[in-house]
Amino acid sequence: MAYLAPHSVPLPAPVRIGLIGSGWMGAFHAESIAHRVPGAVLAAIADPNLESAEALAALLGTAHITANPDDILADPTIHAVIIASPARFHAGLITKAAAAGKHVFCEKPAAQDLAELDAALTAVEAAGVHFQIGFNRRYAADFQAAKQDLAAGIVGRPQLLRSLTRDPGSGSIAHAAKVPAWTIFLETLIHDFDTLNWFNEGAEPVEIHAVADALVEPGLRDQGFLDTAVVTVRYSNGAIAVAEANFSALYGYDVRGEVFGSKGMVQAGRATETAARRYTADGLGADTPRLNVELFRQAYTDELADFTAVVSSRRDGTPPPSSAFTLTPGAPDARRALACALACIDSVKQGKSVRVPQVATLQPTQIR
């Protein structure tokens, strides 16, 4: 019997992605696109620090680098951008990227106040591009398992929620004096606020009380530096949540979440790398992650895989990826979490509980 003639099924063209910002997080996202996200190509890197961009491009085999992100936005062969620049540039870059017809993945926060965020999201809606914010915890396996239980009603009506972030440290914080004001809310606890909002989906955060101090670096307290915070959030469905953060956990990087409800409880996250424990004459021990890219390595990859899949489906007119629960963090999620972070700042300044700024009803086109 003769062999049948071979036939091939054409693969979708890769999604060409430009990176804006080649710092710590941008470099890791670039590596993910280049090596770990099928269907994506790292097409170009933009950074005013050309030395940084050149080094990353050489490492990943990317031919095109520029000091000006406008060069990426003007390139008709690039479908989407990852914005990993300093936070103060995020809103402006989102607006320009949307106007150029580029789909946008942006690291948090998407803006530094609600007015500039609303302007950026209006541009996203007008352009009809896909927008995703980098709330990576949604893509961690244990957080997704918890969300699936919540979506299935296994825990019942949420009553008490908890989320915590303890960054690894050594008892002091290098370059603490250079950390921008309110970082603990705008760039750290903003992840916890998204987690809580996602876990308590359908309810709105309405009131916040925040307490913060410099307990790791008390010598910087008078300069306004904050390294420790506890936040209480009251939701429209009556649930009460607590979020906490600290910038120096000696034992490693610790991120956890919990929902207690009318039918039970679900937890996500742990302080150890695995469930393995060692028992020796020295006592009980376990390995702990020390970097965000260790703890959330797969989550960082999966969020970009989700972004790439949605961009590809829009370009090719194919069905978008589906999930048993709400997954992709979009424009309303970016705004809701930022509103919580800004309310924390107001609460600390006033020393009392404050109302959370109303979350806009803006629903950009096809945001899932």
Side-chain angles (χ1 to χ4, degrees):
M1 177 179 176
Y3 289 111
L4 297 175
H7 67 280
S8 61
V9 178
L11 296 174
V15 173
R16 292 173 54 80
I17 298 176
L19 173 71
I20 301 175
S22 60
W24 170 260
M25 205 62 249
F28 189 80
H29 285 326
E31 181 188 339
S32 294
I33 292 296
H35 297 312
R36 293 188 291 274
V37 178
V41 169
L42 182 64
I45 300 171
D47 196 307
N49 183 345
L50 271 178
E51 184 177 349
S52 170
E54 287 172 349
L56 183 60
L59 180 67
L60 300 177
T62 303
H64 301 292
I65 62 170
T66 177
N68 190 345
D70 289 346
D71 294 333
I72 286 180
L73 301 182
D75 187 340
T77 71
I78 291 179
H79 306 111
V81 293
I82 294 173
I83 298 174
S85 62
R88 64 185 181 276
F89 301 119
H90 286 182
L93 287 169
I94 292 169
T95 300
K96 293 174 72 172
K102 310 300 184 189
H103 302 285
V104 178
F105 178 96
C106 185
E107 269 302 326
K108 48 70 193 169
Q112 294 188 302
D113 65 55
L114 294 179
E116 69 173 8
L117 178 57
D118 286 345
L121 297 183
T122 297
V124 167
E125 183 177 33
V129 297
H130 178 57
F131 172 82
Q132 184 173 328
I133 185 75
F135 289 138
N136 57 290
R137 293 182 197 180
R138 295 187 180 209
Y139 295 86
D142 47 352
F143 281 80
Q144 285 199 14
K147 176 63 178 179
Q148 187 162 358
D149 283 348
L150 291 165
I154 291 173
V155 178
R157 184 172 180 270
Q159 296 171 346
L160 295 171
L161 299 93
R162 185 184 183 205
S163 182
L164 66 84
T165 301
R166 297 172 185 166
D167 289 345
S170 60
S172 64
I173 303 171
H175 312 299
K178 297 181 180 179
V179 175
W182 309 113
T183 290
I184 198 164
F185 298 124
L186 292 171
E187 299 197 33
T188 299
L189 278 164
I190 197 166
H191 278 294
D192 298 87
F193 300 143
D194 179 67
T195 297
L196 294 170
N197 294 339
W198 186 50
F199 279 174
N200 197 22
E201 189 172 3
E204 294 294 342
V206 295
E207 186 178 64
I208 274 179
H209 185 87
V211 178
D213 203 346
L215 302 182
V216 182
E217 295 287 354
L220 297 176
R221 181 180 293 115
D222 292 342
Q223 299 179 33
F225 176 73
L226 301 171
D227 54 44
T228 306
V230 176
V231 180
T232 303
V233 185
R234 169 78 73 169
Y235 281 89
S236 58
N237 63 352
I240 302 170
V242 175
E244 66 169 78
N246 182 279
F247 285 167
S248 187
L250 273 64
Y251 58 87
Y253 193 37
D254 186 2
V255 173
R256 286 174 276 154
E258 177 182 292
V259 181
F260 174 87
S262 58
K263 296 181 180 178
M265 180 178 71
V266 65
Q267 295 179 323
R270 61 185 174 213
T272 59
E273 286 185 338
T274 70
R277 299 291 185 272
R278 64 180 66 92
Y279 298 79
T280 70
D282 295 325
L284 172 63
D287 293 327
T288 59
R290 298 286 164 164
L291 296 172
N292 58 338
V293 295
E294 294 174 350
L295 181 61
F296 289 118
R297 182 180 181 85
Q298 191 61 47
Y300 282 128
T301 300
D302 289 347
E303 68 178 348
L304 292 180
D306 182 27
F307 176 69
T308 299
V310 174
V311 171
S312 180
S313 72
R314 291 219 185 168
R315 183 197 61 193
D316 301 336
T318 56
S322 61
S323 172
F325 48 83
T326 305
L327 177 60
T328 309
D333 305 299
R335 195 183 196 282
R336 191 172 283 111
L338 180 60
C340 289
L342 294 172
C344 288
I345 296 172
D346 287 342
S347 177
V348 170
K349 287 180 176 179
Q350 298 179 40
K352 63 179 183 180
S353 298
V354 301
R355 301 290 291 180
V356 178
Q358 183 178 2
V359 175
T361 57
L362 181 69
Q363 296 287 337
T365 306
Q366 297 183 24
I367 290 293
R368 292 184 300 125

